[in-house]
Amino acid sequence: MHHDRLTHELLEIHESCHRAGIYSRDYRKAKFTVHEMLMGGITEGLTSTRTDFGQAAGEHVFSLCVKPGFISDQSDLHSEGVHVCSLADVIASSLRRKEPWKAAPSVDLGEGHTWYSDCFLEPNGEALRRVLCVSSWSPDRHYSVMRSWGTLGSMCAYGLPMKLAVVTLGQHREGRFHSPWAKGFLHPVSKQLRFRKKTGSGEGFKSSWQQVFR
């Protein structure tokens, strides 16, 4: 595409449909998708200088819920927004230890083109980091991601290897994600929270266990 600002999202859309690529280049959507809002919160949590960076992630998502808002077919937008806030909090807290992550700077590609990435830099500057939130993971998805503009394109632009952090969120149904990242089960008497059975038998919890979401 003949445009000075290049991102992997723009190139991927343009490859699938030239018209969609032009619209994505020239116009901004009125509202975020749930995935875009979640990734915005995670990025805020990873890069925030606050000590309570998980809280910062959730607060950022909540601000996006208010303005510009998000696309949803649910009637209870507040509950869905709080769910995404909590998810951004726990994911950012799980990925980050202490020091803030550093966003990868833009790269001048020459001839008026600049590469913008959603990647982060390792503290020593010797590798890139990328966070992916997906519904499921498989060998096919792995190879697709490894050959994508977001991974291979950024590696070429920066001349650095890439480390991927893949968060498998499960399916998104009725305004919630369905995986141990997003839900658990309460014991019917003690109300102890569990995400899977200790036996590892693969069987689910009894119907008396109460399902709860973040």
Side-chain angles (χ1 to χ4, degrees):
M1 295 184 68
H2 297 289
H3 193 257
D4 60 345
R5 183 183 179 93
L6 296 179
T7 67
H8 71 87
E9 296 96 342
L10 186 61
L11 289 172
E12 288 162 357
I13 294 172
H14 183 75
E15 284 187 337
S16 62
C17 175
H18 289 187
R19 180 175 295 178
I22 293 172
Y23 285 153
S24 298
R25 182 193 67 186
D26 296 338
Y27 297 94
R28 181 177 297 177
K29 291 183 290 186
K31 295 183 178 181
F32 286 118
T33 65
V34 169
H35 183 268
E36 289 171 337
M37 194 164 60
L38 174 62
M39 293 306 301
I42 294 172
T43 299
E44 177 67 22
L46 294 176
T47 58
S48 175
T49 57
R50 291 169 47 176
T51 55
D52 58 342
F53 49 84
Q55 180 74 15
E59 290 177 359
H60 184 70
V61 172
F62 207 84
S63 69
L64 297 178
C65 291
V66 177
K67 186 178 181 180
F70 61 100
I71 302 168
S72 174
D73 58 1
Q74 301 299 304
S75 58
D76 189 354
L77 295 179
H78 181 266
S79 293
E80 183 172 5
V82 170
H83 176 69
V84 181
C85 290
S86 302
L87 199 53
D89 183 340
V90 71
I91 293 174
S93 300
S94 299
L95 292 173
R96 177 176 163 180
R97 294 298 177 259
K98 293 183 179 180
E99 296 301 319
W101 287 25
K102 182 179 179 181
S106 60
V107 177
D108 183 7
L109 301 179
E111 298 184 1
H113 298 293
T114 304
W115 180 261
Y116 291 84
S117 175
D118 60 355
C119 296
F120 304 90
L121 281 175
E122 287 270 84
N124 57 16
E126 295 181 354
L128 296 168
R129 292 171 168 174
R130 189 180 180 207
V131 179
L132 296 175
C133 289
V134 299
S135 59
S136 60
W137 194 249
S138 65
D140 287 341
R141 183 66 184 273
H142 168 80
Y143 291 117
S144 175
V145 168
M146 293 299 292
R147 291 171 172 82
S148 68
W149 282 108
T151 302
L152 193 58
S154 291
M155 290 173 63
C156 292
Y158 293 95
L160 294 172
M162 175 82 72
K163 295 181 180 180
L164 297 177
V166 180
V167 183
T168 306
L169 297 177
Q171 294 296 319
H172 184 254
R173 304 190 306 271
E174 299 178 351
R176 292 188 175 100
F177 290 94
H178 293 257
S179 74
W181 281 102
K183 69 178 181 180
F185 295 87
L186 294 179
H187 189 276
V189 178
S190 67
K191 302 302 180 182
Q192 180 184 9
L193 178 64
R194 290 186 183 176
F195 297 97
R196 66 178 180 181
K197 296 193 72 174
K198 291 183 178 180
T199 59
S201 60
E203 299 177 358
F205 291 90
K206 294 181 179 180
S207 59
S208 56
W209 286 70
Q210 179 186 355
Q211 180 175 271
V212 292
F213 288 87
R214 296 193 186 279

